[in-house]
Amino acid sequence: MIVLASGSASRRAMLKAAGVAFTAIPPALDERALEASLEGAAPPAVALALAEAKAQAVAAGQPDALVLGSDSLVVVEGQRFDKPASRQAAEAHLSHFSGRTMELHSAAALVRDGAVVWRHAAVARLQVRPLTDAFIDHYLDREWPAIGGCVGAFRIEGPGVQLFDSVDGDHFTILGMPLLPVLGALRDQGVLPA
Ligand SMILES: Nc1nc2c(ncn2[C@H]2C[C@H](O)[C@@H](COP(=O)(O)OP(=O)(O)OP(=O)(O)O)O2)c(=O)[nH]1
């Protein structure tokens, strides 16, 4: 049985749409504390460590399952941004992103019997166009609080796409999980038909 160690609606939706049968169990994990312990690590390493920690946290209670953890983080000119905690935070993030290149790192890891059996990190680069205060205000009138659960303060499958001049990278990586490599790993693990 596959367990998705996540409370993310986006990750659940991706797996469901892909026809993967799974159970979702949100991880009880202090992500901020783990991130703090990784201060100075490169973004892919941070995302991988969080993905593994989420999977391990849930796997402890699911001895016979294959557990999938995932994590996404945004970096703009070396500065990391978590999900916006308020509309004001989202406004500040978007003002900062304006005219800059955003890196969105998404990682995933599989844990079986307490051991990490697979891990993968991917990055997408999104060119944020110059954003006026008026645009940001109008955008948040529509997208807050929905984007409160989204790192980068946008939903690419929704009006968030209006933030960008160009996007370079896999759509699923941006949605929050490198789905294609995950599906390959599930086939290799024998839990999806090859
Ligand atoms: N619908 C949607 N969600 C996005 C997009 N970009 C990022 N996200 C979401 C996916 C994840 O739920 C969230 C990334 O935050 P985290 O990696 O901390 O995951 P989260 O705390 O949501 O769930 P989890 O830690 O897996 O229980 O941002 C997007 O373009 N569309």
Side-chain angles (χ1 to χ4, degrees):
M1 190 250 289
I2 301 169
V3 173
L4 174 64
S6 177
S8 164
S10 180
R11 295 185 178 123
R12 287 201 305 271
M14 265 189 253
L15 280 184
K16 185 167 185 286
V20 177
F22 66 95
T23 303
I25 301 175
L29 182 74
D30 184 347
E31 293 184 38
R32 301 292 81 84
L34 179 54
E35 278 181 354
S37 71
L38 293 160
E39 201 52 49
V46 174
L48 278 167
L50 279 161
E52 288 177 27
K54 293 176 190 181
Q56 292 281 23
V58 169
Q62 301 291 325
D64 304 325
L66 181 64
V67 184
L68 170 63
S70 187
D71 187 71
S72 298
L73 58 91
V74 157
V75 177
V76 174
E77 294 178 355
Q79 186 179 346
R80 201 163 76 214
F81 292 80
D82 287 317
K83 292 172 286 196
S86 66
R87 177 175 167 139
Q88 291 68 26
E91 201 170 318
H93 288 190
L94 292 165
S95 297
H96 184 79
F97 297 160
S98 175
R100 291 185 163 106
T101 300
M102 175 192 292
E103 287 182 5
L104 199 159
H105 296 264
S106 286
L110 286 173
V111 168
R112 191 192 282 278
D113 302 328
V116 175
V117 295
W118 177 83
R119 61 209 303 263
H120 181 85
V123 62
R125 285 181 179 79
L126 304 93
Q127 184 54 47
V128 184
R129 65 185 182 80
L131 304 174
T132 63
D133 292 348
F135 175 86
I136 290 172
D137 203 36
H138 176 69
Y139 167 80
L140 289 175
D141 282 349
R142 293 166 63 188
E143 284 292 279
W144 186 265
I147 54 162
C150 302
V151 72
F154 68 89
R155 295 186 291 182
I156 195 77
E157 75 279 18
V161 71
Q162 293 190 33
L163 300 175
F164 307 108
D165 276 333
S166 64
V167 168
D168 176 22
D170 176 74
H171 183 69
F172 298 107
T173 295
I174 297 167
L175 282 173
M177 184 165 71
L179 180 63
L180 294 172
V182 164
L183 296 174
L186 294 178
R187 285 191 289 270
D188 293 346
Q189 291 291 321
V191 292
L192 274 188

